[in-house]
Structure formats: C-alpha cells, structure tokens
Amino acid sequence: MGDGARWSLEDDWEWQVQCARANDAWVRSTAASWVPPVEEELVLAARATALSQWYPSTSHNYFRFSDGPPPWAPSGRDDVRYLPGCISFAKEGVDGSAVFLVWSGHLLLSPDPVLVLATPDAVVAAEALVEVLTTDS
C-alpha cells in the first residue's frame, strides 16, 4: 500500500486468508499442537457468508469480528467494537478431529459466553455465527 492508502475490508479479508494459510502450515509441522490446521477452511467459509461485512481476526484458536480494522492492522483503530460472538476450534472430536464451537458473547470476558453449536463443519459454523450476530445485535 502506498502513502495515504487506506486499509480496506477486502484487504483485511485477504490478509486473514494469508495468515490462516500460514498458521495452518505451522500447525501441520507441529505434531503436538492441540489446534487443528483448519483456520483457512474456517476463514474461507466465513468469507462466503454475511460475516464478510465485518473485519475478521483470529486470536490463538478463535475467530472473531469487529466493526472496523483492529488496532494492529494498517489504518487500525483503538475504538473498534468486537461483535458478541465468535467461533473457536480445537481437536475435540472423539477421534481427535477438529470441532468448531460457535459462541454467543465474548470469550474470556464476563458474562460468560454461551455455546450455541459444536460442529465438525466450518460452513455450518459460519452460518450459525451469522445467525447469532444478526439475532443478538
């Protein structure tokens, strides 16, 4: 981006896809990781839904959204509002496979978030989060 260029929502999504791909590659190289290499799958599934209207970000093993670029992004803001829902992912399947957990509320904050859905399908998780965010907001 040149001087004066603004960081767009599309730029943020492209960056998120690249980061997810790189993170999945790193996780694949670390046999002991409790995080499955499904971040890119989740980002692409979310991008194909109404979630694409918000700024995406991941933190460790959860995927959340805000109403503007987060502080660490180019043109980021300190006053972004994180939406009250997210998707976490871990190796929680009976066979150690990936499970996506859809939450209403904010993880790691009070009041405690509510688990809405657990699914092995990233598309189903993304669609469920759309429902959470459009119902709760």
Side-chain angles (χ1 to χ4, degrees):
M1 297 182 84
D3 289 336
R6 301 277 307 155
W7 186 254
S8 71
L9 180 59
E10 184 61 27
D11 293 333
D12 210 54
W13 275 99
E14 284 299 320
W15 177 250
Q16 195 64 52
V17 170
Q18 291 175 27
C19 290
R21 187 174 297 132
N23 193 54
D24 283 351
W26 180 82
V27 167
R28 282 186 196 96
S29 73
T30 307
S33 178
W34 56 273
V35 178
V38 294
E39 192 173 322
E40 182 180 14
E41 173 187 356
L42 179 58
V43 170
L44 293 173
R47 192 177 191 184
T49 71
L51 295 171
S52 64
Q53 68 186 303
W54 296 300
Y55 285 81
S57 63
T58 54
S59 178
H60 302 289
N61 72 320
Y62 74 98
F63 191 36
R64 64 184 178 168
F65 299 86
S66 62
D67 63 357
W72 57 85
S75 301
R77 304 186 338 236
D78 289 330
D79 66 342
V80 296
R81 182 180 73 89
Y82 289 96
L83 302 175
C86 67
I87 302 171
S88 64
F89 46 96
K91 292 180 180 176
E92 293 187 0
V94 175
D95 60 352
S97 60
V99 174
F100 300 97
L101 304 171
V102 180
W103 300 91
S104 176
H106 298 281
L107 286 179
L108 307 176
L109 295 176
S110 292
D112 289 337
V114 174
L115 179 62
V116 175
L117 176 72
T119 179
D121 190 320
V123 172
V124 170
E127 290 169 351
L129 185 58
V130 168
E131 183 68 25
V132 166
L133 294 175
T134 57
T135 301
D136 288 352
S137 46

